[in-house]
């Protein structure tokens, strides 16, 4: 597999802002942490940090993210949306859509999405997205979209139980896409969708695409929040990107965060 190369990534880019300011590291603690430091120091919209290896990769809910050298795409994008914080979850939606699209272009296989932002191939997780935001009620300073995509990881490289729930593009498709091209393709789609968000009807079209790919919808799910755990049927994605679920007594609830498990997917039996 080719090495990460700043120039090769740039050559494949078709963007105005995303990836035009890019750092490529051989090894780093966490690209999200570096991107946050850059954002705090004033980095422009679309700044990207990519690393060949992370030694302190972060996942959602304080978990760590396995990021061995040369096996995946560990990348964070600094976004400075001109909209209020309540619309920031839309960035997570389009991050997931753009990775799914780029993997499809590279392999002919399209990952599904487990709400809100896990990409699934062969019933296992191939990509996770960690979105971090700095905002107050009316103004979003920045959103960091951190993408962890397993490209060439072999099943026996996932430690312990992770092999039951995690996979890679290679394991699922037998192909080894060029990571430089894949990075550029993700950024190309990501910027295109990001710009559509501000056009009339733009988000509705993207939400439709998301619904089509979202394997959570129509399934019985287990929701684990901070203070409660319950089961329900996943019905829809709301305008603010919440998961709309229906409880057994017919009441509807909107879930904005929390772990949502779908039976048979990513190790949940
Ligand atoms: C999840 O828990 O599903 C989210 C995982 C996100 C991992 C990516 S890898 C690049 C970026 N840097 C990090 O430290 N985390 C994200």
């Amino acid at each position: 597999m080719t090495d990460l190369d700043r120039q090769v990534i740039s050559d494949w880019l078709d963007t105005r802002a995303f990836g035009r300011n890019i750092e490529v590291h051989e090894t780093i603690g966490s690209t999200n942490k570096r991107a946050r430091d850059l954002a705090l120091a004033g980095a422009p919209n679309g700044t990207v940090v990519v690393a060949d290896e992370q030694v302190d990769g972060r996942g959602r809910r304080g978990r760590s993210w396995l990021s061995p050298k040369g096996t995946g795409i560990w990348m964070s994008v600094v976004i400075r949306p001109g909209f209020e914080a309540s619309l920031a979850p839309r960035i997570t939606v389009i991050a997931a859509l753009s990775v799914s699209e780029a993997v499809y272009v590279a392999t002919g296989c399209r990952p599904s999405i487990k709400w809100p932002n896990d990409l699934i191939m062969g019933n296992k997780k191939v990509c996770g997205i960690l979105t971090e935001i700095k905002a107050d009620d009316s103004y979003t300073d920045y959103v960091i979209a951190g993408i962890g995509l397993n490209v060439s990881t072999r099943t026996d490289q996932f430690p312990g139980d992770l092999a039951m729930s995690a996979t890679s593009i290679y394991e699922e498709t037998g192909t080894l896409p060029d990571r430089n091209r894949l990075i550029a393709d993700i950024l190309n789609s990501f910027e295109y969708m990001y710009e559509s968000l501000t056009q009339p009807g733009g988000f509705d079209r993207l939400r439709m695409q998301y619904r089509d790919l979202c394997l959570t919808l129509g399934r019985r799910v287990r929701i684990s929040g901070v203070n409660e755990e319950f089961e329900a049927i996943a019905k829809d994605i709301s305008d603010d990107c919440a998961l709309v679920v229906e409880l057994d007594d017919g009441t509807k609830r909107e879930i904005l965060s929390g772990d949502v498990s779908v039976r048979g997917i990513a190790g949940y039996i």
Side-chain angles (χ1 to χ4, degrees):
M1 195 156 59
T2 49
D3 288 332
L4 294 182
D5 185 315
R6 196 173 185 277
Q7 188 55 50
V8 180
I9 297 170
S10 299
D11 289 346
W12 286 109
L13 279 179
D14 187 18
T15 58
R16 287 196 297 172
F18 282 31
R20 294 297 173 187
N21 181 28
I22 184 166
E23 284 186 356
V24 179
H25 296 261
E26 255 184 49
T27 184
I28 200 167
S30 154
T31 58
N32 259 39
K33 184 165 181 315
R34 173 70 184 149
R36 188 177 58 204
D37 291 345
L38 291 173
L40 289 170
N45 183 46
T47 297
V48 169
V49 181
V50 188
D52 201 33
E53 172 187 47
Q54 293 186 121
V55 293
D56 187 23
R58 315 265 176 91
R60 290 175 66 220
R61 309 191 130 224
R63 296 175 187 127
S64 59
W65 182 262
L66 185 78
S67 325
K69 192 168 185 51
T71 61
I73 290 176
W74 327 124
M75 163 165 89
S76 302
V77 186
V78 177
I79 296 167
R80 295 198 181 272
F83 46 65
E84 69 211 54
S86 66
L87 296 181
R90 295 184 175 188
I91 297 208
T92 307
V93 161
I94 62 168
L97 280 176
S98 51
V99 177
S100 182
E101 176 65 20
V103 172
Y104 175 66
V105 169
T107 68
C109 302
R110 200 184 281 283
S112 315
I113 301 171
K114 185 167 90 62
W115 184 91
N117 50 11
D118 290 348
L119 266 71
I120 304 291
M121 293 181 102
N123 290 339
K124 293 179 174 182
K125 178 160 163 174
V126 69
C127 172
I129 297 170
L130 176 66
T131 320
E132 298 180 75
I133 177 166
K134 179 166 182 267
D136 60 28
D137 286 348
S138 56
Y139 168 73
T140 307
D141 186 8
Y142 62 75
V143 176
I144 309 287
I147 296 168
L149 173 61
N150 302 324
V151 177
S152 62
T153 333
R154 306 300 197 265
T155 301
D156 60 13
Q157 289 178 298
F158 291 112
D161 285 353
L162 209 56
M164 310 266 288
S165 58
T167 192
S168 69
I169 293 178
Y170 178 74
E171 285 291 347
E172 298 306 318
T173 68
T175 52
L176 272 180
D178 172 19
R179 285 182 301 161
N180 294 307
R181 171 95 194 258
L182 201 46
I183 288 167
D185 279 350
I186 292 170
L187 294 170
N188 290 339
S189 294
F190 202 171
E191 183 180 278
Y192 179 79
M193 292 183 194
Y194 176 67
E195 291 190 342
S196 318
L197 285 180
T198 51
Q199 285 157 15
F203 178 66
D204 281 339
R205 280 189 292 276
L206 293 164
R207 183 160 59 137
M208 228 127 64
Q209 286 178 32
Y210 185 92
R211 280 195 189 105
D212 283 347
L213 287 181
C214 184
L215 58 74
T216 314
L217 296 181
R219 308 277 284 265
R220 189 164 184 87
V221 295
R222 166 155 288 272
I223 295 136
S224 314
V226 186
N227 296 316
E228 56 177 356
E229 203 166 312
F230 59 95
E231 292 203 352
I233 305 288
K235 289 284 185 188
D236 200 6
I237 308 297
S238 74
D239 199 42
D240 50 7
C241 303
L243 183 68
V244 182
V245 299
E246 188 175 289
L247 278 69
D248 292 342
D249 66 5
T251 50
K252 291 223 168 120
R253 277 179 66 175
E254 292 200 358
I255 312 295
L256 276 164
S257 66
D259 264 358
V260 174
S261 310
V262 183
R263 210 155 260 138
I265 304 294
Y268 178 61
I269 312 163

